[in-house]
């Protein structure tokens, strides 16, 4: 397994969902907004975007977290992120998400792990180039 640190400093993060799970996933980030028609009280008013999700909502965000109570919506968000080459996490287990867990983080970096079927350096070099293309700045660990 190889890991990559992605610099989150000054990156905008969007959590789609306004419930407890959405709040738990988003509270670890500074530049976070929550998009939902309804919110729990713990989510600060200035971080709320009151509306239903639409595909164009993700265009200005670096990391999108699909944390709706509706699994079909979370699946759609994951697909939309994939199409737009957006870094995406989801509360559902989906083969298309680019991050399956958000437990490796600090205030400045999000750490991704990836593994190939054939773990030769040749394949890691291909993925490194893909990370550079999609995420612009990264630091292999």
């Amino acid at each position: 397994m190889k890991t990559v640190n992605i610099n989150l400093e000054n990156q905008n993060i969007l959590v789609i969902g306004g419930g407890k799970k959405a709040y738990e996933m988003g509270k670890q980030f500074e530049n976070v907004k929550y998009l939902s028609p309804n919110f729990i009280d713990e989510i600060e008013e200035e971080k709320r975007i009151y509306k239903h999700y639409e595909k164009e909502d993700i265009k200005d965000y670096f990391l999108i977290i699909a944390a709706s109570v509706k699994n079909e919506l979370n699946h759609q968000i994951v697909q939309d992120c994939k199409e737009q080459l957006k870094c995406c996490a989801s509360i559902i287990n989906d083969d298309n998400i680019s991050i399956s867990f958000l437990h490796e983080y600090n205030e400045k970096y999000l750490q991704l792990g990836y593994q190939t079927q054939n773990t030769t350096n040749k394949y890691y070099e291909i993925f490194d180039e893909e990370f550079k293309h999609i995420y612009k700045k990264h630091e292999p660990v």
Side-chain angles (χ1 to χ4, degrees):
M1 166 125 17
K2 188 166 182 178
T3 59
V4 173
N5 283 331
I6 299 195
N7 189 340
L8 291 177
E9 205 167 33
N10 301 318
Q11 297 290 347
N12 293 324
I13 291 115
L14 179 65
V15 177
I16 299 164
K20 186 174 182 178
K21 188 66 174 177
Y23 173 69
E24 289 300 317
M25 293 185 78
K27 73 179 183 180
Q28 60 196 311
F29 302 107
E30 286 184 28
N31 298 325
V32 66
K33 295 285 186 180
Y34 297 85
L35 186 144
S36 178
N38 303 298
F39 297 92
I40 60 170
D41 292 339
E42 289 83 354
I43 297 175
E44 300 166 42
E45 189 66 38
E46 63 272 6
K47 294 183 178 186
R48 298 178 185 188
I49 301 170
Y50 288 91
K51 69 182 295 278
H52 290 280
Y53 171 76
E54 297 176 78
K55 189 175 188 174
E56 61 271 5
D57 291 329
I58 63 176
K59 69 179 169 96
D60 295 326
Y61 293 90
F62 174 78
L63 170 64
I64 293 86
I65 301 171
S68 167
V69 295
K70 299 177 181 175
N71 278 339
E72 62 277 358
L73 176 58
N74 292 332
H75 283 285
Q76 184 61 54
I77 294 163
V78 169
Q79 290 298 3
D80 294 346
C81 288
K82 187 176 179 182
E83 286 175 18
Q84 296 184 37
L85 298 178
K86 296 288 185 177
C87 190
C88 179
S90 176
I91 63 171
I92 56 170
N93 187 10
D94 188 311
D95 291 337
N96 292 316
I97 60 175
S98 50
I99 304 170
S100 52
F101 302 102
L102 288 178
H103 59 83
E104 297 284 339
Y105 68 91
N106 62 36
E107 290 178 6
K108 188 173 179 184
Y109 290 101
L110 173 67
Q111 190 173 70
L112 305 180
Y114 62 99
Q115 186 171 347
T116 66
Q117 296 277 355
N118 182 342
T119 56
T120 65
N121 285 339
K122 173 181 149 187
Y123 290 99
Y124 283 125
E125 289 169 13
I126 292 169
F127 281 108
D128 284 346
E129 287 304 310
E130 192 67 20
F131 276 115
K132 286 178 189 176
H133 173 70
I134 295 172
Y135 304 118
K136 308 295 186 237
K137 296 178 186 177
H138 78 285
E139 297 178 14
V141 176

